[in-house]
Amino acid sequence: MILFILLQIHGITTLKRNQISPPIKHFFNMKFHLLILLSIHLLQTPFITTGDRSLIESTCRATPSYNLCMSTLLTNPKSSTGDVSELGLIMVGATKAKATRAIQQIKSVYRSRPDLRRALNECAQMYIAVVQADVPSAVQALDGGQPKFAEDGMADTAVEAQACERSFIERGHKSPLTKMNKDIENVANVARAIIRMLL
Amino acid sequence: MASSSDLENPNAISSLPYSYAPLSDGEQPAGDEPTTGLHPKKATIFFVCAFLSVTFLVALFAGNEHVLPKDLSTNAAPSMAVTPAITTPLSRGVDKGVSEKSFRPFLGAENSYPWSSNMLDWQRTSFHFQPENNWMNDPNGPVFYQGWYHLFYQYHPDAPVWGKIVWGHAVSKDLINWRHLPIAMETDQWYDEQGVWTGSATILPDGQLVVIYTGSTNESVQVQNLAYPADPSDPLLINWVKYPGNPVLVPPPGIDNKDFRDPTTAWKTPEGKWRITIGSKINKTGISLVYDTEDFKTFELLDGVLHAVPGTGMWECVDFYPISKQAENGLDTSVDGPGVKHVVKASMDDDRNDYYAIGSYDAYKGKWTPDNPTLDVGIGLRYDYGIYYASKTFYDQNKQRRVLWSWIKETDTEASDISKGWASLMGVPRTILLDKKTQSNIIQWPVEEINALRTNATVFNNLVMEAGSLVPLYLPTASQLDIVAEFELDEQTVMRLNGADVAYDCATKGGAATRGALGPFGFSVLAHEGLIEHTPVYFYVAKGVDGNLKTFFCADQSRSSTATDVDKSIYGNIVPVLNGEKLSMRILVDHSIVESFAQEGRTCITSRVYPTKAIYNNARLFLFNNATAATVTASVSVWQMKSAEI
């Protein structure tokens, strides 16, 4: 996709050198090319056949968060060609992405909230465990056909997210990560539900 | 002396027993859903023009956040021993300071914990097999060979979590003290590149040893491979050779590439061939395929299956072995005949429990039928009502017994496992025999060699405990114990009591805090002085309307720890008690594992326990009778257990 766009841009700039046109007219031309290109790109991305979509729908209906499941899967092009195992991998990937963002968020709060450092440290350890252990284990397990270990990884992720939230509450603090923790717990539970279908 | 304090009058309210998170109910409200992506049909030219530059930049720079790169698992393994950069080491003193200062009105208890290294260090066991670090799961190829007991095991050398698995290896003279050896088999062939998975050993009549194991190929197809010792005269079996013609078995037609694993030890057929069985599934029916071979290199798939049970899902780690109807010894896997029953066991992928059934084997047809179809494999009896999976037996020709190994996983968080650097144990090996008295179940008992670790016996005979009593048993330490006890309910109360048909089960009736007329009574292990943390292991006797007694045997983790990120389930089951039998239990306490046995091994429960306070010198042992009516007379022997060499 990106290569295609770059080639077009190269073509357009070449055009620019060879033609003498008013800047505005040329600018409009360039935009036109890009518009076509990007429309195609954007149109393609979430394009899914009815048949594939029904697998996604039935899979998501069997999870605790249908909307979260649908939006996560539909925005990933691999879900259109994937079987349930692939859908599970996509959800594990979404979990990883959220956990990685959580670690970044923890780092940024860490500087401004020294009073929360103990809890933030604990949370960081938990999400690092998710990213470095739970997720790779789940991917290996889904690829290799021992889905129970993937289920364990996602079950643990939900527990870590809850434990992170509690680490603030237990110290009498309001958690700065509540939405993030809840998101991760939810997406991990969706992943777990999908993985269970493979057992 | 018996005190009369109620067991459940705690000095502080213990924290809510969070069990592992169940799947959350219901959906998110739509407003909380993240909205991502664009709806292409709504794109108008104006819309597109307006942020062309933005999308242009996005197209150039956006990462594929939602797509998980498939090669993630082969990235360089993170160093698990390294704590994250922003974590500062926490000293114990500082922890204590923090916990004393903060107060949680609605939980009441002292603040919990971050997991200090003290707490985590205590969790490591003293007489249970475990590698020095990282992850272990299924036991593999257990065998007694040229004077040594061998244990191989699924091992992940890079992290305390499952991954690309190799065969770890250790040897012992006595099943208790172990010597770790180098990795026996690595993922060095295309046919086991994604994992050297579970397998079994067979000793041939001429003394030769062969191993058949599952390999996960470079394309994640499950195949069976042959391996044998590089040097059969090396009793330590350090080096192994994989048969150049591997794989010897690939998934047959109709069987999914990922539903074909864990081959058994082979046994002789009436025709003089060798036979193995391999678990699988067809839709939701668990099955076990049967193969015959003469040389372990070419195999013939028999028609049909050894057995199948609908609705049980994938059968992992199938085991198949004879037990004697009369004798008190184990039998070689090839033994058959009129005095013999056969056990089929399988690990149920769906519910993570090991189930077995006793039945009859037809050697000519290669089929097995359960004695009691309502207690068929996967729907009837379990080896153990706690944490116990992927178990496997072997015939120990040294002592003529059938010995059972099992994987005991952690029930704490992965973050804790990474902090402590390890995950998983093996249970203490158990002998298996047919229960001659009931004829309908097996009994399991820790191998006798474990008794060699006993020291410093403390004995109480005929200790009378009235209803609602708690007896501290004063011991120098209580993290490594072997407890053997007999209990008798007072006849009068039992006879006088009006029965009721109130249903009881260990898991859902509130554990040891729920008082009945005739129970619960037993021990609280890994108990803190004020019982803020304790793990009761107990009998609960219920008298039915018909006057018959039902006895339940339970292990209660609901108050085992003030930590909120550990499993706090209550495990257990009914235990058959025959007329005239006293109630008896045995408990092995070994730091973070507790193995409990009732009625000489008729019902067994393995628990993982992670206290934060009831550790080291603060771990105590109590005897209790929390019944409302009956007096219980107990005779108890408690030994301190020495540490084994592991």
Side-chain angles (χ1 to χ4, degrees):
Chain A
M1 281 302 140
I2 293 165
L3 190 62
F4 194 39
I5 291 165
L6 288 171
L7 280 169
Q8 278 292 330
I9 292 158
H10 176 75
I12 288 161
T13 51
T14 316
L15 203 69
K16 188 177 178 182
R17 261 182 253 129
N18 294 340
Q19 287 183 1
I20 302 166
S21 346
I24 294 167
K25 196 171 160 197
H26 174 70
F27 183 62
F28 184 75
N29 256 335
M30 185 169 79
K31 269 207 166 191
F32 189 67
H33 280 286
L34 285 171
L35 165 67
I36 301 291
L37 263 172
L38 285 160
S39 299
I40 294 166
H41 175 67
L42 293 168
L43 277 164
Q44 264 189 358
T45 305
F47 181 67
I48 290 164
T49 65
T50 337
D52 308 311
R53 196 181 165 105
S54 80
L55 171 66
I56 295 169
E57 274 174 354
S58 62
T59 301
C60 286
R61 244 178 269 122
T63 72
S65 305
Y66 176 81
N67 288 341
L68 171 60
C69 178
M70 289 295 284
S71 64
T72 307
L73 291 180
L74 287 176
T75 54
N76 189 307
K78 284 194 171 195
S79 63
S80 63
T81 53
D83 54 13
V84 177
S85 185
E86 184 65 59
L87 300 183
L89 278 167
I90 292 171
M91 204 55 65
V92 169
T95 307
K96 183 193 185 204
K98 286 187 197 279
T100 306
R101 276 201 291 279
I103 295 168
Q104 297 312 313
Q105 203 178 328
I106 289 165
K107 280 184 183 159
S108 62
V109 176
Y110 194 81
R111 275 177 278 279
S112 56
R113 297 292 306 271
D115 55 319
L116 298 181
R117 280 194 182 164
R118 185 132 283 140
L120 290 168
N121 273 338
E122 282 172 32
C123 284
Q125 281 192 308
M126 294 170 200
Y127 285 124
I128 287 171
V130 168
V131 170
Q132 291 190 340
D134 285 334
V135 165
S137 180
V139 171
Q140 174 93 24
L142 281 171
D143 280 345
Q146 286 221 38
K148 69 174 185 286
F149 292 114
E151 188 193 354
D152 286 352
M154 291 297 105
D156 183 69
T157 299
V159 171
E160 306 281 10
Q162 289 178 329
C164 169
E165 190 65 10
R166 271 197 309 270
S167 64
F168 295 98
I169 297 171
E170 278 158 4
R171 292 178 169 88
H173 296 305
K174 184 167 172 352
S175 161
L177 303 174
T178 302
K179 178 163 193 318
M180 178 61 82
N181 287 334
K182 201 60 183 165
D183 275 354
I184 292 173
E185 187 186 340
N186 289 338
V187 75
N189 281 334
V190 169
R192 185 185 180 181
I194 295 177
I195 293 164
R196 269 213 73 81
M197 300 174 204
L198 299 165
L199 287 172
Chain B
M1 277 302 164
S3 75
S4 57
S5 66
D6 187 321
L7 179 76
E8 292 309 326
N9 181 22
N11 297 334
I13 304 161
S14 49
S15 45
L16 295 170
Y18 286 94
S19 49
Y20 266 131
L23 300 181
S24 51
D25 295 324
E27 295 182 12
Q28 291 266 59
D32 285 353
E33 297 298 297
T35 48
T36 52
L38 305 160
H39 202 306
K41 291 173 185 164
K42 294 200 173 135
T44 62
I45 289 190
F46 173 81
F47 178 70
V48 173
C49 281
F51 71 66
L52 253 184
S53 52
V54 175
T55 53
F56 175 60
L57 287 167
V58 164
L60 271 181
F61 295 118
N64 278 334
E65 276 193 305
H66 295 287
V67 177
L68 189 71
K70 283 274 188 96
D71 63 356
L72 190 70
S73 58
T74 59
N75 284 351
S79 160
M80 286 301 138
V82 174
T83 48
I86 64 174
T87 302
T88 53
L90 306 168
S91 71
R92 260 197 314 145
V94 174
D95 291 353
K96 279 193 163 184
V98 169
S99 69
E100 278 154 14
K101 281 173 199 157
S102 48
F103 176 66
R104 313 249 310 105
F106 48 96
L107 280 190
E110 261 187 284
N111 187 39
S112 46
Y113 67 99
W115 286 103
S116 68
S117 51
N118 230 33
M119 294 168 189
L120 295 176
D121 288 348
W122 175 89
Q123 292 175 9
R124 210 168 158 86
T125 66
S126 294
F127 54 87
H128 283 76
F129 181 83
Q130 52 181 126
E132 281 149 8
N133 52 29
N134 290 315
W135 167 276
M136 167 172 70
N137 54 294
D138 308 3
N140 299 149
V143 72
F144 182 80
Y145 182 80
Q146 294 189 6
W148 290 88
Y149 289 100
H150 289 261
L151 177 68
F152 303 89
Y153 52 94
Q154 299 283 276
Y155 182 55
H156 187 208
D158 298 330
V161 70
W162 188 85
K164 222 193 239 198
I165 292 287
V166 300
W167 269 36
H169 185 193
V171 289
S172 171
K173 283 288 192 182
D174 59 5
L175 291 172
I176 301 298
N177 298 289
W178 292 90
R179 215 191 271 193
H180 294 290
L181 295 180
I183 305 288
M185 291 199 281
E186 312 248 23
T187 55
D188 56 10
Q189 302 296 323
W190 68 266
Y191 50 76
D192 58 23
E193 191 188 285
Q194 293 302 319
V196 185
W197 289 356
T198 290
S200 306
T202 306
I203 298 190
L204 309 186
D206 61 1
Q208 256 194 93
L209 180 65
V210 297
V211 156
I212 304 274
Y213 71 95
T214 300
S216 184
T217 71
N218 56 346
E219 291 175 352
S220 295
V221 176
Q222 293 167 13
V223 299
Q224 317 311 323
N225 303 308
L226 168 65
Y228 37 83
D231 178 5
S233 67
D234 167 22
L236 297 186
L237 298 177
I238 299 212
N239 295 304
W240 285 79
V241 167
K242 298 177 185 176
Y243 169 55
N246 278 334
V248 295
L249 275 174
V250 299
I255 295 296
D256 193 275
N257 286 345
K258 295 184 176 169
D259 293 339
F260 187 60
R261 54 186 183 272
D262 313 333
T264 63
T265 293
W267 65 93
K268 280 285 200 174
T269 70
E271 295 95 27
K273 297 185 193 174
W274 291 101
R275 180 167 288 168
I276 63 171
T277 188
I278 304 179
S280 185
K281 66 170 166 152
I282 294 180
N283 296 325
K284 273 299 189 185
T285 296
I287 65 172
S288 201
L289 303 163
V290 186
Y291 289 89
D292 282 0
T293 181
E294 297 190 65
D295 56 4
F296 293 89
K297 292 170 183 169
T298 55
F299 289 79
E300 175 207 331
L301 174 65
L302 266 58
D303 280 335
V305 293
L306 181 72
H307 194 55
V309 181
T312 52
M314 175 71 187
W315 284 12
E316 300 192 292
C317 299
V318 170
D319 199 3
F320 177 75
Y321 55 88
I323 49 177
S324 172
K325 293 209 279 203
Q326 251 78 56
E328 293 304 306
N329 51 273
L331 301 175
D332 180 280
T333 315
S334 294
V335 167
D336 199 357
V340 162
K341 306 288 304 176
H342 277 82
V343 171
V344 169
K345 167 262 166 187
S347 294
M348 297 299 143
D349 205 12
D350 278 8
D351 75 2
R352 313 304 167 75
N353 293 312
D354 281 3
Y355 290 83
Y356 77 95
I358 300 173
S360 300
Y361 169 56
D362 180 332
Y364 295 93
K365 294 192 186 134
K367 293 198 183 322
W368 171 93
T369 325
D371 287 347
N372 183 347
T374 63
L375 295 179
D376 208 341
V377 181
I379 62 175
L381 297 174
R382 284 164 53 175
Y383 273 161
D384 188 291
Y385 288 87
I387 304 296
Y388 206 81
Y389 195 72
S391 60
K392 182 183 287 297
T393 65
F394 73 103
Y395 177 62
D396 169 11
Q397 70 274 28
N398 183 38
K399 292 199 170 179
Q400 296 184 0
R401 53 187 175 176
R402 182 149 293 267
V403 177
L404 173 69
W405 280 103
S406 184
W407 167 42
I408 317 295
K409 67 175 184 182
E410 300 300 305
T411 59
D412 64 356
T413 61
E414 183 53 32
S416 294
D417 295 346
I418 289 175
S419 296
K420 71 197 192 194
W422 61 271
S424 298
L425 311 168
M426 292 294 177
V428 168
R430 301 174 180 176
T431 52
I432 287 192
L433 289 170
L434 176 68
D435 186 344
K436 308 298 189 294
K437 297 180 196 162
T438 64
Q439 291 282 321
S440 56
N441 55 271
I442 56 162
I443 51 176
Q444 304 158 57
W445 200 244
V447 291
E448 59 185 5
E449 288 91 334
I450 198 79
N451 300 353
L453 297 177
R454 288 171 165 177
T455 107
N456 293 343
T458 306
V459 179
F460 303 96
N461 280 320
N462 301 317
L463 184 58
V464 175
M465 298 195 295
E466 284 165 10
S469 58
L470 180 68
V471 181
L473 300 179
Y474 292 107
L475 300 164
T477 68
S479 298
Q480 294 171 212
L481 299 176
D482 188 353
I483 305 166
V484 170
E486 270 183 358
F487 299 91
E488 263 185 293
L489 283 164
D490 77 280
E491 284 262 332
Q492 259 200 338
T493 308
V494 176
M495 295 314 232
R496 250 199 335 234
L497 189 68
N498 289 327
D501 272 333
V502 180
Y504 185 87
D505 70 276
C506 296
T508 63
K509 295 299 178 186
T514 299
R515 310 184 67 187
L518 307 177
F521 54 89
F523 291 92
S524 263
V525 304
L526 298 173
H528 192 256
E529 200 159 42
L531 291 179
I532 288 176
E533 294 179 337
H534 66 118
T535 301
V537 176
Y538 62 90
F539 287 113
Y540 183 96
V541 181
K543 185 174 183 182
V545 163
D546 58 2
N548 286 330
L549 298 178
K550 266 195 203 156
T551 306
F552 296 83
F553 182 55
C554 317
D556 177 0
Q557 279 71 237
S558 63
R559 290 168 181 79
S560 59
S561 177
T562 55
T564 48
D565 59 353
V566 296
D567 195 290
K568 293 190 178 174
S569 305
I570 306 165
Y571 309 131
N573 198 40
I574 285 190
V575 54
V577 178
L578 305 180
N579 274 337
E581 281 182 358
K582 287 191 192 166
L583 294 175
S584 68
M585 69 164 78
R586 180 177 185 182
I587 308 174
L588 291 172
V589 180
D590 186 7
H591 297 263
S592 62
I593 184 171
V594 177
E595 293 191 54
S596 309
F597 304 82
Q599 301 311 98
E600 307 295 308
R602 246 176 229 152
T603 297
C604 312
I605 309 172
T606 301
S607 313
R608 299 306 308 276
V609 183
Y610 307 96
T612 65
K613 297 174 169 48
I615 60 178
Y616 299 111
N617 291 334
N618 294 321
R620 305 231 182 290
L621 178 67
F622 290 85
L623 196 51
F624 72 89
N625 174 12
N626 207 26
T628 55
T631 298
V632 172
T633 305
S635 293
V636 176
S637 302
V638 184
W639 292 266
Q640 317 239 241
M641 294 296 266
K642 294 184 289 197
S643 300
E645 294 221 1
I646 300 180

